[in-house]
Amino acid sequence: MDSKGKKIGILLVLCAVLVVMAAVVVVNFNAFMGKGKPAANITASEPSGQILEADGKVKGANLTAFLQDKDFFDAETSNSSNGSQATYDEVDENGAVIRTLTLLASSVERDIRVKVVDDRGNVVSGHEFLVEVEDTGAYIDEDKDGIIRIPDLKPGDYRVSLHEQAGFQVPAEPAKVSVKSIVSYTTIDDISYFVHSEADVDILKDDTAHNEAVDEEDEDDSQYKALWEMEERDNAVSLGIDVSKWNGEIDWDVVKAEGVDFAIIRCGYRGSSSGWLVEDPYFFQNIQGAKRAGIKVGVYFFTQAIDLVEAVEEASMVITLLGDTKLDFPIFIDTEGANGGRADNLDAATRTAVVNAFCQTIQNAGLEAGVYASRNWYLNRLNIDDLYGYKIWLAEYRETPLYEGNYDLWQYTSSGSVAGIEGRVDLNVSYLGY
């Protein structure tokens, strides 16, 4: 094709494009000006007698009429299968919200433990709840903590009901519970309801552990302030510390750099006066900090249990607090004096039984158990021959222990000094090999 033909072809194409564009403009202009058929149809279908306002609304229409139509909204539905709980919060005649309560009941040994909880599973405190055990009697929550313990019951099946309480909707049906005849060395599932923070106790009366490692034959442990040097370790596999809230804020990276291989961290204690289970406020902070720094960890619990049930409670608390946290060292029960604490006067047989109950509960949960005590307590306050299968942690403050029994860890001073920790700290040697 010559150049003249090409020019003619291009001209024709341009003309066609211009025609199409003009058609599009005309169509859209008519629609915009309201001259199209759809608008005409709408006008023709307007109901007679109705006048449209400029905004398209019918003149004189009541736009809130639907609020007076009782059938407009769906009927209120129930959240529960029996229809006892409404979708919206119920209120009393004064407009106050009525809270729904639930009873939780469990048994450890010849007892019933009742928890009054709200719809979020939290224990409801501050009220003097009254529960009734069928064919047994009524019991009052005198300390208003939402927990009622009912002791000295015969084994068997029981039904527990909650009496009416102003401002609350109580369960329509009683809670059922089977009372056990003897404690089993297994984790108590609801132990978390019985664990307190230090805000709930008088710590001057309850946190009174007193290390009785020192006796007339022990040396002044203030001379032993440093971690052993490598050449002094002999057969010691690792060097470590044990800490609690009393050691305050710890710089775990500095502690690691000082040569500390492991730390045994207190997770809690039983109040030596109140008998309550109390979590150490620094526990999670310490265990997380030590693990992040690459320090191996174990835990200990200061016991004031006076019977097997309380020992199982203490072990259950430790297991529950740990959750999925992995340990490198055992879980130790710390048995020592408490300056007149509730367990100080136990005889050796009872104290040994308590320690065994704690350790067996720990082992039944698949964890490693151990015992911490001084030489004096191993010799005079415990029956060491009845403690087998557990790791032994000895507290004896001298250059070389006089204790002749087997032990796996040795706490050789309470007057240690380690950078990263302000003040004194207990120092230990481990022969465990890990």
Side-chain angles (χ1 to χ4, degrees), residues 22-301:
V24 171
V25 170
V26 171
V27 171
N28 285 287
F29 179 78
N30 288 336
F32 178 78
M33 296 300 294
K35 294 180 180 179
K37 288 183 178 180
N41 289 341
I42 293 174
T43 303
S45 62
E46 288 178 2
S48 61
Q50 291 185 346
I51 302 174
L52 295 180
E53 301 281 9
D55 59 2
K57 298 177 181 177
V58 177
K59 185 176 181 180
N62 180 7
L63 300 182
T64 63
F66 72 94
L67 295 175
Q68 282 75 47
D69 185 355
K70 64 180 181 180
D71 297 322
F72 183 85
F73 296 102
D74 292 336
E76 196 171 274
T77 59
S78 169
N79 280 339
S80 60
S81 58
N82 60 12
S84 61
Q85 183 174 349
T87 301
Y88 307 102
D89 290 331
E90 296 185 27
V91 296
D92 60 19
E93 62 274 10
N94 298 319
V97 175
I98 298 176
R99 299 167 64 187
T100 301
L101 299 179
T102 300
L103 276 187
L104 301 178
S106 61
S107 174
V108 177
E109 181 182 82
R110 303 179 71 87
D111 67 346
I112 296 178
R113 299 163 179 230
V114 180
K115 284 79 62 182
V116 183
V117 302
D118 59 20
D119 53 5
R120 295 185 179 181
N122 299 318
V123 172
V124 180
S125 59
H127 302 274
E128 199 171 73
F129 292 113
L130 176 66
V131 300
E132 185 165 350
V133 180
E134 189 176 56
D135 299 328
T136 302
Y139 302 85
I140 300 175
D141 183 10
E142 294 180 348
D143 57 5
K144 301 181 181 181
D145 65 349
I147 297 175
I148 304 171
R149 298 194 185 201
I150 306 169
D152 303 323
L153 297 175
K154 295 180 179 179
D157 296 330
Y158 291 80
R159 292 157 62 91
V160 185
S161 301
L162 179 62
H163 282 218
E164 294 290 336
Q165 183 83 12
F168 296 96
Q169 179 180 332
V170 302
E173 297 295 327
K176 299 178 181 179
V177 59
S178 294
V179 171
K180 299 179 180 179
S181 61
I182 189 170
V183 63
S184 60
Y185 299 141
T186 56
T187 307
I188 301 171
D189 292 335
D190 61 354
I191 194 64
S192 59
Y193 288 105
F194 301 92
V195 177
H196 297 265
S197 70
E198 288 202 327
D200 300 325
V201 300
D202 184 343
I203 58 175
L204 296 179
K205 295 180 179 180
D206 272 338
D207 194 5
T208 59
H210 175 64
N211 195 313
E212 296 184 1
V214 179
D215 60 28
E216 66 276 5
E217 296 180 344
D218 276 355
E219 300 173 356
D220 177 11
D221 75 326
S222 63
Q223 63 184 302
Y224 307 118
K225 294 185 177 180
L227 291 165
W228 284 3
E229 299 295 336
M230 289 296 294
E231 59 269 20
E232 294 177 312
R233 291 193 182 192
D234 296 330
N235 296 323
V237 175
S238 55
L239 303 178
I241 58 177
D242 58 272
V243 297
S244 69
K245 72 168 188 187
W246 298 113
N247 299 101
E249 299 286 337
I250 297 175
D251 189 328
W252 287 100
D253 291 323
V254 173
V255 170
K256 174 65 175 177
E258 282 291 289
V260 171
D261 302 311
F262 69 90
I264 311 298
I265 298 167
R266 188 177 76 163
C267 66
Y269 59 94
R270 185 184 288 276
S272 54
S273 175
S274 69
W276 284 7
L277 299 171
V278 184
E279 178 184 339
D280 188 302
Y282 279 78
F283 170 54
F284 284 107
Q285 176 179 324
N286 280 335
I287 199 165
Q288 291 169 0
K291 289 174 76 70
R292 278 196 300 267
I295 296 174
K296 295 180 178 180
V297 296
V299 303
Y300 75 92
F301 182 93

Side-chain angles (χ1 to χ4, degrees), residues 185 347-360 363 371 377-379 381-392 403:
Y185 299 141
D347 59 71
T350 301
R351 180 173 290 108
T352 302
V354 163
V355 169
N356 269 315
F358 179 98
C359 290
Q360 288 182 38
Q363 289 182 334
V371 184
W377 277 53
Y378 280 127
L379 294 177
R381 301 291 192 92
L382 291 164
N383 296 332
I384 188 64
D385 291 339
D386 294 330
L387 299 176
Y388 46 87
Y390 318 132
K391 302 303 180 184
I392 299 299
Y403 182 70

